[in-house]
Amino acid sequence: MRNPTASRKTASKKHVPPYCRSGPDFRTEHPLFNQAPGSSSPGPFHPSPPVMSSDISTNKKARRDYEILDTYECGMELKGTEVKSIRAGKVNIADSFARVENGQMLLYGCDIQPWETAGEFFQHQSRRPRRLLLHKREIFKLEQQTSQKGCSLVALKLYWKNGKVKLALGLGKGKTHRDQRYDLKARVEMREAQREVARINRR
């Protein structure tokens, strides 16, 4: 005759496979395993994504040839192949300038090299005019300011911001040879002063 107590004990026991554990997994949940490298305090470690430099291209001649009166941040209308070439560093804004035409701000002289693997239909022209994205009031204001004698819109710097390509546009007035000589003299004097200070600090 069966013992009812023994049958109840047998039914209450469950077979647990050796790989099924109810406790925490040491490989994923132990605090010492999850702490950041070089850190003494335990805590979850999440590897940070690689940091990409924000600067893409700089126009070094702009501040040498122009007295920059004001700067504006602009977006740019770009094609997919142009963005790929910019990511590869194949862009030059040394001869870039902007101009207002039909109520739009257009950038000229920006050299973005073609993308090698793109087909002819998707390929872009390297020095085509590109539309800059500004507010209408800013475009109107710049149009009025550039109508003055000697004022121009020059590209200062191309850079990344929140994953998008931005252009620093400068409103500048052309320098005379006298201004350029004065700036050169000031830079030379500044370098000499810095060298003298460094020489004194080394004593």
Side-chain angles (χ1 to χ4, degrees):
M1 185 176 182
R2 278 182 158 185
N3 188 354
T5 306
S7 65
R8 283 197 300 270
K9 289 181 179 180
T10 305
S12 62
K13 291 182 180 180
K14 295 181 180 180
H15 176 68
V16 179
Y19 55 85
C20 293
R21 299 189 301 112
S22 59
D25 189 356
F26 178 83
R27 296 170 297 175
T28 58
E29 300 179 20
H30 198 279
L32 294 179
F33 181 83
N34 287 329
Q35 71 181 17
S39 174
S40 57
S41 59
F45 169 62
H46 304 287
S48 58
V51 179
M52 183 171 54
S53 176
S54 60
D55 292 347
I56 301 172
S57 180
T58 304
N59 186 1
K60 297 180 180 180
K61 299 189 300 181
R63 297 188 182 274
R64 183 195 67 187
D65 299 336
Y66 293 90
E67 179 187 357
I68 303 302
L69 306 175
D70 202 357
T71 57
Y72 295 84
E73 182 180 77
C74 312
M76 294 182 67
E77 278 189 355
L78 297 171
K79 295 183 178 180
T81 53
E82 292 174 331
V83 176
K84 292 180 180 180
S85 295
I86 290 175
R87 289 187 184 277
K90 300 179 179 181
V91 57
N92 186 8
I93 62 170
D95 301 323
S96 299
F97 64 95
R99 193 165 55 202
V100 180
E101 294 181 2
N102 299 325
Q104 295 183 350
M105 185 71 70
L106 298 179
L107 181 68
Y108 292 89
C110 180
D111 186 9
I112 303 177
Q113 293 299 313
W115 186 246
E116 298 88 347
T117 58
E120 184 178 356
F121 180 78
F122 298 100
Q123 193 61 271
H124 64 272
Q125 297 179 3
S126 59
R127 300 179 72 91
R128 72 178 183 90
R130 295 174 174 89
R131 184 187 173 197
L132 298 179
L133 305 179
L134 285 166
H135 294 290
K136 288 185 178 180
R137 63 179 180 273
E138 293 177 328
I139 295 176
F140 179 77
K141 179 181 177 181
L142 289 173
E143 186 177 15
Q144 296 296 320
Q145 291 175 330
T146 52
S147 62
Q148 301 175 10
K149 185 177 179 180
C151 288
S152 304
L153 295 172
V154 292
L156 302 178
K157 184 173 65 173
L158 201 66
Y159 57 95
W160 295 102
K161 184 176 180 181
N162 298 328
K164 297 181 179 180
V165 179
K166 298 291 183 178
L167 176 73
L169 189 66
L171 175 67
K173 191 172 183 179
K175 291 182 180 179
T176 62
H177 291 292
R178 181 179 179 181
D179 295 334
Q180 293 178 0
R181 288 196 301 267
Y182 178 80
D183 292 343
L184 179 60
K185 181 181 178 182
R187 286 197 297 267
V188 171
E189 291 177 352
M190 179 62 70
R191 282 197 296 266
E192 290 178 353
Q194 291 174 349
R195 290 171 186 168
E196 185 65 21
V197 171
R199 185 179 64 82
I200 294 174
N201 292 334
R202 284 196 297 267
R203 291 181 179 178

